[in-house]
Amino acid sequence: MRFAITMFSLLAIASIIGTVLKQNEPYNNYIIKFGQFWFDIFEKLGMFNVYQAFWFLLILVFLIVSTSLCISRNTPKILKDYKGFQDRIREKSLLSFKHSYQFPVKKFSVKKTISFLKSHNYKVKYKPVEGNGDLIVAKKGDLQKFGYIFTHLAIVIISIGGLLDGNLVFKVQELIGAKQIQLIDQPLSKISLKGRMSEDNLSYRASILLSEGDTKTAAILRAKEGYLVQEIPFSITLKNFNIKHYSTGQPKSFESELLVKDKKTGETINKTISVNKPLTYKGVTIYQAAFEDGGSQLDLLVWDLNSSQPSFKMNSQIFKNNKLTFENQNLTLEFKDFRKFNILEVDENKEKKPKPTNVGPNFLYKVRNESGQAKEYQTYQLPMLIDGKYFFMSGMRNSPQEEFKYLKIPADENLSIEGFMVLKSLLNNPKKVQSAINKGIKTSAFTTSGKKEAFKLGAENIIGAFVGGGYNSVIDAMDLNIPDQASVADKEKAIKTYINIIYLVSQELVRDYQFKNKNDIVFPANDAPRFIQDALTAYSDSFFYGVPLYLELKEFNEVQASGLQLTKSPGQFWVYLGSILLVLGIFCMIYIQEIRLWIFRKKGSNKLIVSLATNRDRIDFDQYAIEFKDKIKKII
Amino acid sequence: MLRNIKDKFMNYSFGLLLACLTIIAISKFNNFMDNYELIILISSAITFTWMGNVWPNFRKLFIYTFLLSFISIYFYKGSLEEIELNFFLKYFLSSQSAIMWMTALYPLSLLTYWIYLFSKQDFYGNLATKITWIATMMGFVGLLVRWYESYLIGIDVGHIPVSNLYEVFVLFCLITSLLYLHYEEKLAIKKLGAFVLIIITAAVGFILWYTFEKGADEIQPLVPALQSYWMKIHVPANFIGYGAFAMAAMISVAYLLKDKGIIGSYLPELNVLDEMTYKAISIGFIFFTIATILGAVWAAEAWGGYWSWDPKETWALIVWLNYAAWLHLRLIKGLRGTMLAWWSLAGLLITTFAFLGVNLFLSGLHSYGEL
Ligand code: HEM
């Protein structure tokens, strides 16, 4: 008994550890968190995989053994109680019960009493005693005791089922050196027998990642820091992967169209599985578990943000790398992920509450330089509506722990990025800038040629600084030119003037371009000032973008991959069976009241003794006993 | 005799009413239901008929709730815009208003129960019970109408409102108060309302915070893992368990107070309190067991394994072990009294952690309702 409570506590504490300490993380995370010293100790104790640790299994085994012992000890007694009646009881002990009543009888009909008791669902035994005395022994609620057997048997069955589905077989094989966890990624065909679990492995939960069109014939078993190959009796082909969406944009279902082919007989099955709708074949259940990109193809345009160079085309594929020489640097572009749907909460308008919207495809890539350092980029294909204006968004971060910082490039009249690119090319074209400044001076109010000359020189410097490094370098340049004693107000005034000059020159560049290219309208006619300001901000921000390399996604051919889980779980049946038994047992135990009743009349006596007892003291029972005694009194 | 006939008549007509509703529902929506949903519908009708027959006040609740919900649905005219336009919807019967009425009425009934406790005037006791009934009714109306509203957002968005922390908290209030009302009637223990309503009011506080701080009342479509008929039974069964455990803990508070002689003269006898705690825990235990098993069956279907040691699962096991230990102590050792009362109070902490703490502090596959 005390033992049972100890068992409960042990199991509970062990379980808590597993929920507080995140399980099955990469070992490096633990080392960073705890340090090498504690990591080693925790690792030995199996803390990173508590539920499969040796001691945890030991608790389970202990649970099975002790509960079985408990059952085997109590069952004979229960069976005996069930079969028999307690008819060897003495008058004295009858009278000592809490519910023991005596009342006078004139004419006592045994038959009538028995049929009364039977009509109240009692099992009855009549026994004449001590020479013509009458003893009626009755009982009901035997099932309560069976409840005990049911519940405890259920615990045993469930635990055994659970163990059956654990990785006990592998653990033993690992212990004797027959199997070994693989730590290095290599093609499955290269992996030796030691790293392979055979088809008739008792139970497993393995996974398969399939790109659309791919076929696989074995699965992967994750184990600690590595993996094992799990052979399966069939091959799986992913014909198609589909994500369906709600009208609000959130994902509604993930579906894999599978072709499963038996390795021995060649029998094939076509079936679409989805979350909550798995497929069971040859004792293995195949679940939709995850999805990711399966190597989508992207057609890109490569732009240099800080030069007047034209863009050029580039083809790429997710999980592939492209080499590129850009501004005299040898760069590697590593394409990581592509997502066709992205649900974001964007402030489309100041007035409206942001609500989740699909903002369209994006892709994720890293740009690595010669020294091996990489920055990560996330670029959206389509412009996003932010505060009523459209922007192309591209995020950059230096490490995965950081948040992305976004470059916001305004979209032009045609919702394309071209307008911005035209403007940055114009700014990077010294001749055009020169003539724009000259034009500005012509139409300006400067009267003397000396002033004109001074302005021209200043404007050239400012534009030069801006083109070479954005607003920041304009401010730097200003610090050199303005005397130290200038007041803050003076400085601010100067900055405003400079920004205005940059703006006016850009406006001139745009006007000139529009005049010469009347047919291709790129700059917004109504909203030109706003566009130019946003574009200049974006240009200035591009100096914080890591590399001034912008990848524009033109076309894509999406290839998806589906993550499947393959489960073989022979214990499931037993666990379910045990569960049913458990519920049944608890029901019997809690809701059935065991009652025993004796009616005794000594020979020749005109007094009747009625005693009731139960094995569990309850208020209900007190009430019941009193009422039932009265009923008996009535019928005799 | 006459009473008996009237009872019988009510029983039969209630059964008939439910049978009719079920048949109408089936004939109208047959195309939208699969076999499991049919089974769930029919067994719900049978369960409610049974409950209505053994507990006439439940029957009343059922009828009024449905009446109000139908009126509300009628006012909607199939458009969510009516919430702002129709006076009754705006202030009484839209899902949000109905739930707000619930959140206002439960604290009021708590107050009334305390007035009753000290004044010992039956008037207040009866009033408190009435308020609790009305609050419960409004809560149920709120949930039912919410169910309807979810279909107005989009026919594919529609789902039973037991899918996120907000909805489930409302359900918790309703189930706990129903359990309490049942025992109040059966065992004549009105004074315990002063305690049980504390935990309900606390849950109401959470709902309000969650609504106004996090906008949790917004209806969201179901993520793929939740699209399962198991959800429809797993979640309510779980909450009968949680509700019963919570009630047991609050009765234990009353027990401990009385044991220490604090406001003891106002409370029922110790052995009654003890028995109540046992009843609550045993009913909770059986439903919690069933719910956990159903959860396992569902997990087997959605995640590919009936048990993954996901934090929520594991904490459910811990809760279960805790009450199994409690029952062992009481049933086998015949232990009674203070120690078990403290234990059941501590049980509430464990239960609350499983219910809420896991979502707050631990991550896992159980994805509904992150804070
Ligand atoms: C993890 C699950 C369980 C374990 C490990 C367990 C273990 C035990 C142990 C070791 C005993 C003592 C037996 C003896 O010494 O004779 C016992 C007795 C008992 N258990 Fe459990 N038990 C479990 C679940 C349950 C459940 C779910 C119930 C029902 C609510 C229950 C009800 C009882 C009863 C009534 C007895 C006493 C039987 C008697 O003395 O006649 N047990 N249990």
Side-chain angles (χ1 to χ4, degrees):
Chain A
M1 176 54 217
R2 196 168 298 146
F3 190 72
I5 306 289
T6 316
M7 224 64 224
F8 288 143
S9 315
L10 260 179
L11 205 59
I13 291 167
S15 306
I16 291 175
I17 295 174
T19 65
V20 175
L21 183 60
K22 251 196 175 167
Q23 301 285 294
N24 295 319
E25 299 248 304
Y27 276 8
N28 255 336
N29 293 7
Y30 294 122
I31 297 178
I32 292 169
K33 209 160 162 190
F34 300 115
Q36 191 67 39
F37 177 74
W38 288 108
F39 170 80
D40 287 339
I41 294 178
F42 284 173
E43 211 271 330
K44 289 245 160 51
L45 289 174
M47 287 298 174
F48 308 131
N49 197 350
V50 169
Y51 308 114
Q52 260 140 33
F54 183 66
W55 52 272
F56 194 81
L57 296 181
L58 206 66
I59 295 182
L60 272 185
V61 172
F62 226 62
L63 189 92
I64 297 176
V65 173
S66 66
T67 317
S68 309
L69 280 178
C70 184
I71 298 170
S72 69
R73 202 170 57 203
N74 286 319
T75 307
K77 214 173 77 212
I78 292 172
L79 286 179
K80 207 173 119 217
D81 274 358
Y82 176 70
K83 282 196 207 116
F85 288 84
Q86 282 169 290
D87 56 0
R88 253 176 248 164
I89 197 158
R90 275 167 219 244
E91 184 182 351
K92 219 163 84 201
S93 41
L94 274 186
L95 286 173
S96 70
F97 284 154
K98 183 177 171 195
H99 291 285
S100 180
Y101 305 94
Q102 297 187 43
F103 33 82
V105 274
K106 290 197 191 83
K107 174 166 88 8
F108 176 55
S109 157
V110 169
K111 223 167 143 191
K112 210 164 132 195
T113 311
I114 289 179
S115 73
F116 168 78
L117 290 174
K118 280 194 172 153
S119 73
H120 281 80
N121 295 324
Y122 278 90
K123 282 200 276 183
V124 188
K125 180 180 177 189
Y126 170 68
K127 187 177 171 195
V129 278
E130 293 169 17
N132 278 346
D134 298 309
L135 175 64
I136 298 171
V137 191
K139 61 175 182 177
K140 76 173 179 184
D142 275 322
L143 271 179
Q144 192 201 43
K145 283 249 170 73
F146 279 92
Y148 163 82
I149 300 181
F150 290 168
T151 38
H152 288 78
L153 201 58
I155 298 300
V156 174
I157 295 175
I158 291 173
S159 308
I160 290 178
L163 281 185
L164 221 54
D165 286 345
N167 58 356
L168 226 47
V169 175
F170 167 70
K171 276 222 132 94
V172 173
Q173 286 175 318
E174 192 190 20
L175 211 63
I176 60 173
K179 298 287 170 197
Q180 194 177 23
I181 294 173
Q182 304 292 303
L183 296 171
I184 307 158
D185 270 335
Q186 50 183 335
L188 296 193
S189 52
K190 288 237 175 79
I191 289 169
S192 72
L193 217 56
K194 268 199 164 177
R196 289 172 175 273
M197 298 300 287
S198 81
E199 246 174 50
D200 36 56
N201 185 4
L202 194 59
S203 70
Y204 50 82
R205 276 169 92 166
S207 56
I208 286 185
L209 186 67
L210 273 172
S211 293
E212 283 172 315
D214 262 11
T215 300
K216 288 214 170 135
T217 56
I220 298 291
L221 271 175
R222 298 247 149 259
K224 289 190 188 153
E225 272 288 83
Y227 66 96
L228 291 150
V229 176
Q230 174 64 57
E231 309 273 6
I232 49 175
F234 44 76
S235 67
I236 306 181
T237 308
L238 178 66
K239 295 201 292 191
N240 218 334
F241 180 76
N242 258 316
I243 304 181
K244 292 205 175 115
H245 294 263
Y246 287 108
S247 45
T248 49
Q250 287 101 325
K252 180 175 168 183
S253 77
F254 308 113
E255 296 174 359
S256 293
E257 276 177 50
L258 301 181
L259 174 83
V260 180
K261 186 169 173 196
D262 190 327
K263 280 180 186 165
K264 286 209 188 83
T265 63
E267 177 195 17
T268 59
I269 289 183
N270 281 294
K271 169 106 196 218
T272 302
I273 63 164
S274 61
V275 183
N276 274 315
K277 295 198 179 83
L279 159 71
T280 302
Y281 184 61
K282 300 245 139 191
V284 181
T285 310
I286 307 169
Y287 298 88
Q288 180 65 54
F291 68 93
E292 56 181 68
D293 195 88
S296 299
Q297 284 147 10
L298 310 178
D299 294 350
L300 304 168
L301 272 186
V302 183
W303 294 94
D304 186 339
L305 289 175
N306 302 151
S307 83
S308 58
Q309 296 286 322
S311 63
F312 58 91
K313 278 191 186 160
M314 184 166 85
N315 294 328
S316 67
Q317 194 179 0
I318 302 301
F319 303 129
K320 295 256 161 74
N321 297 345
N322 287 12
K323 296 251 187 258
L324 186 68
T325 306
F326 185 80
E327 293 197 341
N328 301 325
Q329 296 182 72
N330 288 322
L331 301 176
T332 312
L333 306 184
E334 303 169 2
F335 294 90
K336 298 291 180 190
D337 198 7
F338 170 78
R339 290 211 195 122
K340 197 164 153 191
F341 285 88
N342 288 284
I343 311 293
L344 292 183
E345 285 193 12
V346 188
D347 287 304
E348 292 191 349
N349 283 303
K350 282 258 158 48
E351 299 88 47
K352 272 202 238 158
K353 220 167 59 169
K355 63 168 202 264
T357 355
N358 175 23
V359 295
N362 74 0
F363 62 110
L364 195 78
Y365 61 98
K366 279 187 179 171
V367 177
R368 197 175 293 280
N369 63 17
E370 275 165 72
S371 57
Q373 281 164 325
K375 293 185 192 310
E376 196 173 8
Y377 294 83
Q378 183 182 46
T379 303
Y380 289 86
Q381 183 185 27
L382 305 173
M384 269 180 230
L385 188 57
I386 296 169
D387 291 344
K389 300 178 279 186
Y390 281 97
F391 289 95
F392 287 91
M393 303 292 283
S394 176
M396 186 278 284
R397 63 181 175 191
N398 292 307
S399 75
Q401 284 82 30
E402 284 176 27
E403 297 268 336
F404 279 111
K405 287 201 248 354
Y406 283 91
L407 179 66
K408 284 166 68 184
I409 298 180
D412 65 17
E413 185 75 356
N414 312 316
L415 287 185
S416 127
I417 203 165
E418 207 192 325
F420 171 81
M421 294 300 175
V422 169
L423 180 57
K424 70 99 192 159
S425 297
L426 294 172
L427 281 170
N428 277 286
N429 184 332
K431 254 203 211 137
K432 296 251 161 143
V433 171
Q434 196 76 317
S435 78
I437 292 174
N438 287 338
K439 226 179 202 168
I441 289 169
K442 244 185 237 158
T443 52
S444 73
F446 296 120
T447 42
T448 67
S449 66
K451 268 188 182 166
K452 282 185 179 173
E453 205 48 40
F455 174 79
K456 189 176 166 199
L457 200 68
E460 271 169 15
N461 282 340
I462 291 162
I463 298 283
F466 180 77
V467 168
Y471 288 126
N472 267 15
S473 74
V474 174
I475 290 171
D476 289 346
M478 186 179 76
D479 280 343
L480 298 179
N481 292 339
I482 293 189
D484 283 346
Q485 57 269 43
S487 70
V488 174
D490 282 345
K491 275 191 181 177
E492 271 176 12
K493 208 170 136 201
I495 292 172
K496 269 205 188 120
T497 314
Y498 292 167
I499 290 178
N500 205 27
I501 290 170
I502 297 167
Y503 171 74
L504 287 173
V505 171
S506 307
Q507 196 180 33
E508 196 48 56
L509 287 169
V510 165
R511 207 179 283 155
D512 181 56
Y513 179 85
Q514 205 76 92
F515 181 75
K516 286 183 184 141
N517 302 277
K518 283 214 174 68
N519 294 330
D520 56 333
I521 305 157
V522 286
F523 299 108
N526 309 326
D527 204 15
R530 198 276 307 167
F531 175 83
I532 293 171
Q533 263 157 19
D534 284 341
L536 290 176
T537 307
Y539 183 81
S540 175
D541 286 347
S542 74
F543 292 96
F544 300 98
Y545 188 61
V547 196
L549 170 78
Y550 186 86
L551 298 186
E552 186 191 356
L553 177 59
K554 294 306 260 187
E555 304 276 333
F556 59 82
N557 178 15
E558 191 190 26
V559 179
Q560 302 183 87
S562 177
L564 305 177
Q565 184 178 307
L566 280 72
T567 305
K568 189 162 154 192
S569 164
Q572 183 164 348
F573 170 78
W574 297 103
V575 170
Y576 286 2
L577 185 75
S579 298
I580 293 171
L581 208 58
L582 181 65
V583 173
L584 217 68
I586 296 175
F587 210 85
C588 292
M589 222 145 146
I590 291 178
Y591 289 98
I592 295 175
Q593 168 98 312
E594 188 193 55
I595 298 174
R596 293 177 180 259
L597 183 148
W598 295 264
I599 299 176
F600 179 58
R601 194 186 64 144
K602 240 197 247 169
K603 188 192 169 193
S605 163
N606 57 357
K607 260 211 297 200
L608 193 69
I609 301 173
V610 174
S611 295
L612 291 103
T614 181
N615 62 342
R616 282 193 204 130
D617 187 22
R618 273 152 75 153
I619 296 179
D620 302 13
F621 178 70
D622 294 341
Q623 211 172 358
Y624 175 85
I626 293 166
E627 281 170 12
F628 201 70
K629 165 229 20 171
D630 288 339
K631 279 188 192 162
I632 295 177
K633 205 167 162 185
K634 244 184 226 159
I635 61 138
I636 7 180
Chain B
M1 187 64 197
L2 210 64
R3 219 192 137 69
N4 220 334
I5 291 173
K6 196 188 153 208
D7 272 357
K8 273 234 166 74
F9 175 73
M10 287 300 285
N11 285 354
Y12 284 125
S13 19
F14 184 60
L16 204 66
L17 175 73
L18 278 176
C20 287
L21 283 177
T22 312
I23 290 168
I24 292 172
I26 292 176
S27 59
K28 228 176 146 180
F29 301 113
N30 197 14
N31 294 342
F32 297 98
M33 291 192 284
D34 59 26
N35 285 342
Y36 294 101
E37 282 161 333
L38 267 179
I39 292 170
I40 291 174
L41 176 68
I42 292 170
S43 34
S44 312
I46 293 170
T47 313
F48 288 137
T49 309
W50 175 74
M51 281 180 70
N53 289 351
V54 295
W55 188 17
N57 272 331
F58 178 81
R59 183 162 63 208
K60 251 197 219 160
L61 171 77
F62 187 94
I63 292 171
Y64 286 134
T65 302
F66 262 73
L67 217 60
L68 283 179
S69 306
F70 278 129
I71 292 173
S72 170
I73 289 172
Y74 171 78
F75 282 145
Y76 271 87
K77 295 187 203 140
S79 153
L80 285 173
E81 265 146 42
E82 290 295 319
I83 298 176
E84 287 304 315
L85 303 177
N86 185 305
F87 174 80
F88 286 101
L89 284 186
K90 190 164 180 185
Y91 293 105
F92 296 98
L93 290 179
S94 74
S95 145
Q96 196 51 30
S97 311
I99 289 173
M100 282 302 130
W101 275 103
M102 179 198 88
T103 58
L105 288 173
Y106 276 134
L108 188 65
S109 80
L110 174 65
L111 191 70
T112 320
Y113 270 118
W114 278 96
I115 293 175
Y116 167 64
L117 191 69
F118 286 112
S119 72
K120 296 189 179 170
Q121 282 175 322
D122 282 344
F123 169 76
Y124 290 110
N126 294 335
L127 184 66
T129 307
K130 283 237 162 58
I131 297 174
T132 314
W133 273 112
I134 294 174
T136 308
M137 178 185 73
M138 289 313 276
F140 273 115
V141 170
L143 282 189
L144 282 175
V145 173
R146 186 180 170 87
W147 199 346
Y148 172 73
E149 267 187 15
S150 71
Y151 278 92
L152 291 186
I153 290 178
I155 202 82
D156 59 349
V157 173
H159 59 270
I160 188 170
V162 292
S163 68
N164 64 30
L165 212 51
Y166 170 83
E167 295 166 341
V168 138
F169 253 90
V170 176
L171 189 71
F172 170 80
C173 293
L174 299 179
I175 286 178
T176 312
S177 50
L178 265 189
L179 279 169
Y180 167 69
L181 286 168
H182 179 69
Y183 282 114
E184 176 183 294
E185 199 176 317
K186 222 172 94 180
L187 305 177
I189 39 120
K190 261 195 198 322
K191 286 163 182 158
L192 291 183
F195 294 90
V196 178
L197 263 292
I198 292 175
I199 192 81
I200 296 176
T201 303
V204 162
F206 179 84
I207 292 174
L208 290 176
W209 172 78
Y210 205 38
T211 305
F212 291 116
E213 213 42 46
K214 305 271 176 178
D217 53 309
E218 207 164 306
I219 298 175
Q220 299 283 356
L222 289 181
V223 299
L226 291 183
Q227 295 160 12
S228 165
Y229 40 84
W230 293 111
M231 183 181 80
K232 301 180 177 75
I233 24 186
H234 167 68
V235 178
N238 239 324
F239 277 82
I240 297 177
Y242 288 144
F245 293 150
M247 183 167 90
M250 296 328 282
I251 297 168
S252 297
V253 171
Y255 183 100
L256 291 170
L257 285 179
K258 176 146 186 144
D259 196 49
K260 293 226 156 50
I262 305 166
I263 62 170
S265 64
Y266 298 97
L267 293 170
E269 288 310 309
L270 278 179
N271 63 342
V272 174
L273 292 173
D274 183 79
E275 182 86 2
M276 280 279 297
T277 311
Y278 166 70
K279 283 218 156 80
I281 286 186
S282 57
I283 198 165
F285 190 67
I286 196 147
F287 274 99
F288 197 74
T289 308
I290 294 173
T292 309
I293 292 168
L294 289 174
V297 175
W298 180 11
E301 210 167 276
W303 301 334
Y306 51 82
W307 198 263
S308 316
W309 295 103
D310 151 78
K312 195 94 181 171
E313 274 174 359
T314 311
W315 275 94
L317 176 70
I318 293 163
V319 169
W320 190 84
L321 289 172
N322 174 57
Y323 288 105
W326 194 93
L327 286 170
H328 268 80
L329 281 177
R330 187 181 156 109
L331 294 179
I332 304 162
K333 278 221 153 164
L335 203 66
R336 296 290 139 99
T338 356
M339 146 105 157
L340 281 190
W342 279 113
W343 194 315
S344 108
L345 193 57
L348 182 65
L349 287 184
I350 301 179
T351 309
T352 310
F353 192 83
F355 178 1
L356 194 59
V358 172
N359 300 41
L360 279 171
F361 303 116
L362 309 174
S363 59
L365 298 164
H366 271 85
S367 53
Y368 71 77
E370 261 151 51
L371 290 173

